[in-house]
Structures are given as C-alpha cells and as structure tokens.
Amino acid sequence: MRSTGKTADAAVKAELERDFPQWRFLVTDRRRWWALRGPLPYDQINEVDAVDADTPEDLRARLARLAWTAVDAPP
C-alpha cells in the first residue's frame, strides 16, 4: 500500500514540475506539500520562495495565484 502512495505522489510531483518548472516540490512525512525555489537573484530577493499546502491541489492553486500576481505586477 505504501508504495502506491509514493507512486501517486511522484506522478503529482511530475505534473507540478511540468507546470511550474522554476519550483522544486516535496511532500513531508506529515503529508504537507511544499514548493521551493531559489536561491533567488538579488533583484528578486523579496519574492516568495517557499509555498506550502495541505494538498497538491491547494499547492497548485497557490502557485497559480503567485504566477498571476507576477504577471499583473507593475514593472
């Protein structure tokens, strides 16, 4: 049973990596999902570099909101 969960997690991580290539993904032993990026260059030092969520769906939504905000941000 345990390997099925890891296999499913690997598939979800692969999808997230495809959709958000600038981020790295992990799942903790407490089933918390994380997206990490960095180190960020100096001109992006104040940007978000870690996002966490209870589910991969929530993590995807949070990353999508960040991407949308970055697109809308003034130059």
Coordinates of all heavy atoms in Angstrom, one line a residue:
M1 N 0.8 -1.2 0.0 CA 0.0 0.0 0.0 C 0.9 1.3 0.0 O 0.6 2.2 -0.7 CB -0.9 0.0 1.3 CG -2.2 -0.6 1.2 SD -3.2 -0.2 -0.2 CE -4.6 0.4 0.5
R2 N 1.9 1.3 0.8 CA 2.7 2.5 0.9 C 3.3 2.9 -0.4 O 3.4 4.0 -0.7 CB 3.8 2.2 2.0 CG 4.5 3.5 2.4 CD 5.3 3.2 3.6 NE 6.1 4.3 4.0 CZ 5.8 5.2 4.8 NH1 4.6 5.2 5.4 NH2 6.6 6.3 5.0
S3 N 3.8 1.9 -1.2 CA 4.4 2.3 -2.5 C 3.4 2.9 -3.4 O 3.8 3.8 -4.3 CB 5.0 1.1 -3.1 OG 4.0 0.1 -3.4
T4 N 2.1 2.6 -3.3 CA 1.1 3.2 -4.2 C 1.0 4.7 -3.9 O 0.9 5.5 -4.8 CB -0.3 2.5 -3.9 OG1 -0.1 1.2 -4.2 CG2 -1.3 3.1 -4.8
G5 N 1.1 5.1 -2.6 CA 1.1 6.5 -2.2 C 2.3 7.2 -2.8 O 2.2 8.3 -3.3
K6 N 3.4 6.6 -2.7 CA 4.6 7.2 -3.2 C 4.6 7.3 -4.7 O 5.0 8.3 -5.3 CB 5.9 6.4 -2.8 CG 6.2 6.6 -1.3 CD 7.5 6.0 -1.0 CE 7.8 6.2 0.5 NZ 9.2 5.7 0.8
T7 N 4.0 6.3 -5.4 CA 3.9 6.4 -6.8 C 3.0 7.5 -7.2 O 3.2 8.3 -8.2 CB 3.4 5.0 -7.4 OG1 4.3 4.0 -7.0 CG2 3.3 5.1 -8.9
A8 N 1.8 7.6 -6.6 CA 0.9 8.7 -6.8 C 1.5 10.1 -6.6 O 1.3 11.0 -7.4 CB -0.4 8.5 -6.0
D9 N 2.2 10.2 -5.5 CA 2.9 11.4 -5.2 C 3.9 11.8 -6.3 O 4.0 12.9 -6.7 CB 3.7 11.3 -3.8 CG 2.8 11.3 -2.6 OD1 1.5 11.6 -2.8 OD2 3.3 11.1 -1.5
A10 N 4.7 10.8 -6.8 CA 5.6 11.0 -7.8 C 4.9 11.5 -9.1 O 5.5 12.4 -9.8 CB 6.4 9.8 -8.1
A11 N 3.8 11.0 -9.4 CA 3.1 11.4 -10.6 C 2.6 12.9 -10.4 O 2.7 13.7 -11.4 CB 1.9 10.5 -10.9
V12 N 2.1 13.2 -9.2 CA 1.6 14.5 -9.0 C 2.8 15.5 -9.0 O 2.7 16.6 -9.6 CB 0.9 14.6 -7.6 CG1 0.6 16.1 -7.2 CG2 -0.4 13.8 -7.7
K13 N 3.9 15.1 -8.4 CA 5.1 16.0 -8.5 C 5.5 16.2 -9.9 O 5.9 17.4 -10.3 CB 6.2 15.4 -7.7 CG 6.1 15.5 -6.2 CD 7.5 15.2 -5.6 CE 7.4 14.4 -4.3 NZ 8.6 14.0 -3.8
A14 N 5.5 15.2 -10.7 CA 5.9 15.3 -12.1 C 5.0 16.4 -12.8 O 5.5 17.2 -13.6 CB 5.9 14.0 -12.8
E15 N 3.7 16.3 -12.6 CA 2.8 17.3 -13.2 C 3.1 18.7 -12.7 O 3.1 19.6 -13.5 CB 1.4 16.9 -12.8 CG 0.8 15.7 -13.5 CD -0.6 15.3 -13.1 OE1 -1.3 16.2 -12.5 OE2 -1.0 14.2 -13.3
L16 N 3.3 18.8 -11.4 CA 3.7 20.2 -10.8 C 5.0 20.7 -11.4 O 5.1 21.9 -11.8 CB 3.7 20.1 -9.3 CG 2.4 19.9 -8.6 CD1 2.6 19.6 -7.1 CD2 1.6 21.2 -8.7
E17 N 6.0 19.8 -11.6 CA 7.2 20.2 -12.1 C 7.1 20.7 -13.6 O 7.8 21.6 -14.0 CB 8.3 19.1 -12.0 CG 8.7 18.9 -10.6 CD 9.5 17.6 -10.4 OE1 9.5 16.7 -11.3 OE2 10.0 17.4 -9.3
R18 N 6.2 20.0 -14.3 CA 6.0 20.3 -15.7 C 5.3 21.7 -15.8 O 5.7 22.6 -16.6 CB 5.1 19.3 -16.4 CG 4.8 19.6 -17.9 CD 3.7 18.8 -18.4 NE 2.4 19.2 -17.8 CZ 1.5 18.4 -17.3 NH1 1.6 17.1 -17.4 NH2 0.4 18.9 -16.7
D19 N 4.3 22.0 -14.9 CA 3.6 23.2 -15.0 C 4.2 24.4 -14.3 O 4.0 25.5 -14.6 CB 2.2 23.0 -14.3 CG 1.3 22.0 -15.1 OD1 1.6 21.7 -16.3 OD2 0.4 21.4 -14.5
F20 N 5.1 24.1 -13.4 CA 5.8 25.2 -12.6 C 7.3 24.8 -12.6 O 7.9 24.5 -11.5 CB 5.3 25.3 -11.2 CG 3.8 25.6 -11.2 CD1 2.9 24.6 -11.0 CD2 3.4 26.9 -11.3 CE1 1.5 24.9 -10.9 CE2 2.0 27.2 -11.3 CZ 1.1 26.2 -11.1
P21 N 8.0 24.9 -13.7 CA 9.4 24.4 -13.8 C 10.4 25.2 -12.9 O 11.5 24.6 -12.6 CB 9.8 24.6 -15.3 CG 8.8 25.6 -15.8 CD 7.6 25.5 -15.0
Q22 N 10.1 26.4 -12.5 CA 11.0 27.1 -11.6 C 11.0 26.7 -10.2 O 11.8 27.2 -9.4 CB 10.8 28.6 -11.8 CG 9.4 29.1 -11.2 CD 8.3 28.9 -12.2 OE1 8.2 28.1 -13.0 NE2 7.2 29.8 -12.0
W23 N 10.1 25.8 -9.8 CA 9.9 25.3 -8.5 C 10.4 23.9 -8.3 O 10.3 23.1 -9.2 CB 8.5 25.4 -8.0 CG 7.9 26.8 -8.0 CD1 7.4 27.5 -9.1 CD2 7.9 27.7 -6.9 NE1 7.0 28.8 -8.6 CE2 7.3 28.9 -7.3 CE3 8.3 27.6 -5.5 CZ2 7.1 30.0 -6.4 CZ3 8.1 28.6 -4.7 CH2 7.5 29.8 -5.1
R24 N 10.8 23.5 -7.1 CA 11.1 22.1 -6.7 C 10.0 21.7 -5.7 O 9.5 22.6 -4.9 CB 12.4 22.0 -5.9 CG 13.6 22.4 -6.8 CD 15.0 22.2 -6.1 NE 15.0 22.7 -4.7 CZ 15.2 24.0 -4.4 NH1 15.4 24.9 -5.2 NH2 15.3 24.3 -3.1
F25 N 9.6 20.5 -5.7 CA 8.5 20.0 -4.9 C 8.8 18.9 -4.0 O 9.7 18.0 -4.3 CB 7.3 19.6 -5.8 CG 6.8 20.7 -6.7 CD1 7.4 20.9 -7.9 CD2 5.9 21.6 -6.2 CE1 7.0 22.0 -8.7 CE2 5.5 22.7 -7.0 CZ 6.0 22.8 -8.2
L26 N 8.2 18.9 -2.8 CA 8.4 17.8 -1.9 C 7.1 17.6 -1.0 O 6.3 18.5 -0.9 CB 9.6 18.0 -1.0 CG 9.7 19.2 0.0 CD1 9.2 18.7 1.3 CD2 11.1 19.7 0.1
V27 N 7.0 16.4 -0.5 CA 5.9 16.0 0.4 C 6.6 15.6 1.7 O 7.5 14.7 1.7 CB 5.1 14.9 -0.1 CG1 3.9 14.6 0.8 CG2 4.6 15.2 -1.5
T28 N 6.2 16.1 2.8 CA 6.8 15.8 4.1 C 6.2 14.5 4.6 O 5.1 14.0 4.1 CB 6.6 16.8 5.2 OG1 5.2 16.9 5.5 CG2 7.1 18.2 4.7
D29 N 6.8 13.9 5.6 CA 6.2 12.7 6.2 C 4.9 12.9 6.9 O 4.1 12.0 7.2 CB 7.2 12.1 7.2 CG 7.6 13.0 8.3 OD1 7.4 14.2 8.2 OD2 8.2 12.5 9.3
R30 N 4.5 14.2 7.1 CA 3.2 14.6 7.7 C 2.2 14.9 6.6 O 1.2 15.5 6.9 CB 3.4 15.7 8.7 CG 4.2 15.3 9.9 CD 4.2 16.3 10.9 NE 5.0 15.8 12.0 CZ 5.2 16.5 13.1 NH1 4.6 17.7 13.3 NH2 5.9 15.9 14.1
R31 N 2.6 14.6 5.3 CA 1.7 14.8 4.2 C 1.5 16.3 3.8 O 0.5 16.7 3.3 CB 0.4 14.1 4.3 CG 0.5 12.6 4.7 CD 1.1 11.8 3.6 NE 0.5 12.0 2.3 CZ 1.1 11.9 1.2 NH1 2.4 11.6 1.1 NH2 0.5 12.1 0.0
R32 N 2.4 17.1 4.2 CA 2.4 18.5 3.8 C 3.1 18.7 2.5 O 4.2 18.2 2.3 CB 3.0 19.3 4.9 CG 2.8 20.8 4.8 CD 1.6 21.2 5.5 NE 1.4 22.7 5.4 CZ 0.3 23.3 5.3 NH1 -0.8 22.6 5.2 NH2 0.2 24.6 5.2
W33 N 2.6 19.4 1.6 CA 3.1 19.7 0.3 C 3.9 21.0 0.3 O 3.3 22.0 0.7 CB 2.1 19.6 -0.8 CG 1.6 18.3 -1.1 CD1 0.7 17.5 -0.4 CD2 2.0 17.5 -2.2 NE1 0.5 16.3 -1.0 CE2 1.3 16.2 -2.1 CE3 2.8 17.6 -3.3 CZ2 1.5 15.2 -3.0 CZ3 3.0 16.6 -4.2 CH2 2.3 15.4 -4.1
W34 N 5.1 21.0 -0.3 CA 5.9 22.2 -0.4 C 6.4 22.5 -1.8 O 6.7 21.5 -2.5 CB 7.1 22.1 0.5 CG 6.8 22.2 2.0 CD1 6.4 21.3 2.8 CD2 6.9 23.4 2.7 NE1 6.2 21.8 4.1 CE2 6.5 23.1 4.1 CE3 7.3 24.7 2.4 CZ2 6.5 24.0 5.1 CZ3 7.3 25.6 3.5 CH2 6.9 25.3 4.8
A35 N 6.5 23.7 -2.2 CA 7.2 24.2 -3.4 C 8.2 25.2 -2.9 O 8.0 26.1 -2.1 CB 6.2 24.9 -4.3
L36 N 9.4 24.9 -3.5 CA 10.6 25.8 -3.1 C 11.3 26.2 -4.3 O 11.4 25.5 -5.3 CB 11.6 24.9 -2.2 CG 11.0 24.2 -1.0 CD1 11.9 23.1 -0.5 CD2 10.6 25.2 0.0
R37 N 11.9 27.4 -4.3 CA 12.7 27.9 -5.4 C 13.8 28.8 -4.8 O 13.7 29.3 -3.7 CB 11.9 28.7 -6.4 CG 11.3 29.9 -6.0 CD 10.6 30.6 -7.1 NE 10.0 31.9 -6.5 CZ 9.7 32.9 -7.3 NH1 9.9 32.9 -8.6 NH2 9.2 34.0 -6.7
G38 N 14.9 28.8 -5.5 CA 16.0 29.6 -5.0 C 17.3 28.9 -5.1 O 17.3 27.7 -5.4
P39 N 18.4 29.5 -4.7 CA 18.4 30.9 -4.2 C 18.0 31.9 -5.3 O 18.3 31.7 -6.5 CB 19.8 31.2 -3.8 CG 20.6 30.2 -4.5 CD 19.7 29.0 -4.8
L40 N 17.2 32.9 -4.9 CA 16.8 33.9 -5.9 C 17.8 35.0 -6.1 O 18.6 35.3 -5.2 CB 15.5 34.6 -5.3 CG 14.3 33.7 -5.1 CD1 13.2 34.5 -4.5 CD2 13.8 33.2 -6.5
P41 N 17.9 35.5 -7.3 CA 18.9 36.6 -7.6 C 18.5 37.8 -6.7 O 17.4 38.0 -6.3 CB 18.7 36.9 -9.1 CG 17.5 36.2 -9.5 CD 17.1 35.2 -8.5
Y42 N 19.5 38.7 -6.6 CA 19.3 39.8 -5.7 C 18.1 40.7 -6.1 O 17.4 41.1 -5.2 CB 20.6 40.7 -5.8 CG 20.6 41.9 -4.8 CD1 20.7 41.7 -3.5 CD2 20.3 43.2 -5.3 CE1 20.6 42.8 -2.6 CE2 20.2 44.2 -4.5 CZ 20.4 44.0 -3.1 OH 20.3 45.1 -2.2
D43 N 17.8 40.8 -7.3 CA 16.7 41.7 -7.7 C 15.3 41.0 -7.4 O 14.3 41.7 -7.5 CB 16.8 42.1 -9.2 CG 16.7 40.9 -10.1 OD1 17.1 39.8 -9.8 OD2 16.2 41.1 -11.3
Q44 N 15.3 39.8 -7.0 CA 14.1 39.1 -6.7 C 14.1 38.6 -5.2 O 13.2 37.8 -4.8 CB 13.9 37.8 -7.6 CG 13.7 38.2 -9.0 CD 13.7 36.9 -9.9 OE1 14.1 35.9 -9.5 NE2 13.1 37.0 -11.0
I45 N 15.0 39.1 -4.4 CA 15.2 38.7 -3.1 C 13.9 38.8 -2.2 O 13.7 38.0 -1.3 CB 16.4 39.4 -2.4 CG1 16.9 38.6 -1.2 CG2 16.0 40.8 -2.0 CD1 17.6 37.3 -1.6
N46 N 13.0 39.7 -2.5 CA 11.8 39.8 -1.7 C 10.6 39.1 -2.2 O 9.5 39.1 -1.6 CB 11.4 41.3 -1.6 CG 12.4 42.1 -0.7 OD1 13.0 41.6 0.3 ND2 12.7 43.3 -1.1
E47 N 10.8 38.3 -3.2 CA 9.7 37.5 -3.8 C 9.6 36.2 -3.0 O 10.5 35.8 -2.3 CB 10.0 37.1 -5.2 CG 9.9 38.3 -6.1 CD 10.0 38.0 -7.6 OE1 9.8 36.8 -8.0 OE2 10.3 38.9 -8.4
V48 N 8.4 35.6 -3.1 CA 8.1 34.3 -2.4 C 9.0 33.2 -2.9 O 9.1 33.0 -4.1 CB 6.6 34.0 -2.6 CG1 6.3 32.6 -2.0 CG2 5.7 35.0 -2.0
D49 N 9.6 32.5 -2.0 CA 10.5 31.4 -2.4 C 10.1 30.0 -1.8 O 10.7 29.0 -2.1 CB 12.0 31.7 -2.1 CG 12.2 31.8 -0.6 OD1 11.3 31.9 0.2 OD2 13.4 32.0 -0.3
A50 N 9.0 30.0 -1.0 CA 8.5 28.8 -0.4 C 7.0 28.9 -0.2 O 6.5 30.0 0.2 CB 9.2 28.5 0.9
V51 N 6.3 27.9 -0.6 CA 4.9 27.8 -0.5 C 4.5 26.4 0.0 O 5.1 25.4 -0.4 CB 4.2 28.0 -1.9 CG1 2.7 28.0 -1.8 CG2 4.6 29.3 -2.5
D52 N 3.6 26.4 0.9 CA 3.1 25.1 1.5 C 1.6 25.0 1.5 O 0.9 26.0 1.4 CB 3.7 24.8 2.8 CG 3.2 25.7 3.9 OD1 3.1 27.0 3.6 OD2 2.9 25.3 5.0
A53 N 1.1 23.7 1.5 CA -0.3 23.5 1.5 C -0.6 22.1 2.0 O 0.3 21.2 2.0 CB -0.8 23.6 0.0
D54 N -1.8 21.8 2.3 CA -2.3 20.5 2.8 C -2.4 19.5 1.7 O -2.3 18.3 1.9 CB -3.6 20.6 3.6 CG -3.4 21.4 4.9 OD1 -2.4 21.2 5.5 OD2 -4.4 22.1 5.3
T55 N -2.7 20.0 0.5 CA -2.9 19.1 -0.6 C -2.2 19.6 -1.9 O -1.9 20.8 -2.0 CB -4.4 18.9 -1.0 OG1 -4.9 20.2 -1.5 CG2 -5.2 18.5 0.2
P56 N -1.9 18.7 -2.8 CA -1.3 19.2 -4.1 C -2.2 20.1 -4.8 O -1.7 21.1 -5.5 CB -1.0 17.9 -4.8 CG -1.8 16.8 -4.3 CD -2.1 17.3 -2.8
E57 N -3.5 19.9 -4.7 CA -4.4 20.8 -5.4 C -4.3 22.3 -4.8 O -4.3 23.2 -5.6 CB -5.9 20.3 -5.3 CG -6.1 19.0 -6.0 CD -5.6 17.8 -5.2 OE1 -5.4 17.9 -4.0 OE2 -5.6 16.7 -5.8
D58 N -4.3 22.3 -3.5 CA -4.1 23.7 -2.9 C -2.8 24.3 -3.2 O -2.7 25.5 -3.4 CB -4.2 23.5 -1.3 CG -5.6 23.2 -0.9 OD1 -6.6 23.4 -1.7 OD2 -5.8 22.8 0.3
L59 N -1.7 23.5 -3.3 CA -0.4 24.0 -3.7 C -0.5 24.5 -5.1 O 0.0 25.6 -5.3 CB 0.6 22.9 -3.5 CG 2.1 23.3 -3.8 CD1 2.5 24.4 -2.7 CD2 3.0 22.1 -3.7
R60 N -1.1 23.8 -6.0 CA -1.2 24.2 -7.4 C -1.9 25.6 -7.4 O -1.5 26.5 -8.1 CB -1.9 23.2 -8.2 CG -2.2 23.6 -9.6 CD -2.9 22.5 -10.4 NE -2.1 21.4 -10.6 CZ -1.1 21.3 -11.5 NH1 -0.9 22.3 -12.3 NH2 -0.4 20.2 -11.7
A61 N -3.0 25.7 -6.7 CA -3.8 26.9 -6.7 C -3.0 28.1 -6.2 O -3.0 29.2 -6.7 CB -5.1 26.8 -5.9
R62 N -2.2 27.9 -5.1 CA -1.4 29.0 -4.6 C -0.3 29.4 -5.5 O 0.0 30.6 -5.7 CB -0.8 28.5 -3.2 CG -1.8 28.4 -2.1 CD -1.2 27.9 -0.9 NE -2.2 27.7 0.1 CZ -2.0 27.7 1.4 NH1 -0.8 27.9 1.9 NH2 -3.1 27.5 2.2
L63 N 0.3 28.4 -6.2 CA 1.4 28.8 -7.2 C 0.7 29.5 -8.4 O 1.4 30.4 -8.9 CB 2.1 27.5 -7.6 CG 3.0 26.9 -6.6 CD1 3.5 25.5 -7.1 CD2 4.1 27.8 -6.2
A64 N -0.4 29.1 -8.8 CA -1.1 29.8 -9.9 C -1.4 31.2 -9.5 O -1.3 32.1 -10.4 CB -2.4 29.0 -10.3
R65 N -1.9 31.4 -8.3 CA -2.1 32.8 -7.9 C -0.8 33.6 -7.9 O -0.8 34.8 -8.3 CB -2.7 32.8 -6.5 CG -4.2 32.6 -6.5 CD -4.9 32.9 -5.2 NE -4.3 32.2 -4.0 CZ -4.8 31.0 -3.6 NH1 -5.8 30.4 -4.2 NH2 -4.2 30.4 -2.6
L66 N 0.3 33.0 -7.4 CA 1.5 33.8 -7.4 C 1.9 34.1 -8.9 O 2.4 35.2 -9.1 CB 2.6 32.9 -6.8 CG 2.7 32.9 -5.3 CD1 3.7 31.9 -4.8 CD2 3.0 34.2 -4.7
A67 N 1.8 33.2 -9.8 CA 2.1 33.4 -11.2 C 1.3 34.5 -11.8 O 1.7 35.4 -12.5 CB 2.0 32.1 -12.0
W68 N 0.0 34.5 -11.4 CA -1.0 35.5 -11.9 C -0.6 36.9 -11.4 O -0.5 37.9 -12.1 CB -2.4 35.1 -11.5 CG -3.4 36.1 -12.0 CD1 -4.0 37.1 -11.2 CD2 -3.9 36.3 -13.3 NE1 -4.9 37.8 -12.0 CE2 -4.8 37.4 -13.3 CE3 -3.7 35.7 -14.5 CZ2 -5.5 37.8 -14.4 CZ3 -4.3 36.1 -15.6 CH2 -5.2 37.2 -15.6
T69 N -0.2 36.9 -10.1 CA 0.2 38.2 -9.5 C 1.4 38.7 -10.1 O 1.5 39.9 -10.4 CB 0.4 38.0 -8.0 OG1 -0.8 37.5 -7.4 CG2 0.8 39.3 -7.2
A70 N 2.4 37.9 -10.4 CA 3.6 38.3 -11.0 C 3.4 38.9 -12.4 O 4.0 39.8 -12.8 CB 4.6 37.1 -11.1
V71 N 2.4 38.3 -13.1 CA 2.1 38.8 -14.5 C 1.5 40.2 -14.4 O 1.7 41.1 -15.2 CB 1.1 37.8 -15.2 CG1 0.6 38.5 -16.5 CG2 1.9 36.5 -15.5
D72 N 0.6 40.4 -13.4 CA -0.1 41.7 -13.2 C 0.8 42.7 -12.5 O 0.4 43.9 -12.5 CB -1.3 41.5 -12.4 CG -2.4 40.8 -13.2 OD1 -2.3 40.7 -14.4 OD2 -3.4 40.4 -12.5
A73 N 1.9 42.4 -12.0 CA 2.7 43.3 -11.2 C 3.3 44.4 -12.1 O 3.6 44.1 -13.3 CB 3.9 42.6 -10.5
P74 N 3.3 45.6 -11.6 CA 3.9 46.7 -12.4 C 5.4 46.5 -12.6 O 6.0 45.9 -11.8 CB 3.6 47.9 -11.6 CG 3.3 47.5 -10.2 CD 2.8 46.1 -10.3
P75 N 5.9 47.0 -13.7 CA 7.4 46.8 -14.0 C 8.3 47.5 -13.0 O 7.9 48.3 -12.3 CB 7.6 47.3 -15.4 CG 6.3 48.0 -15.8 CD 5.3 47.7 -14.8

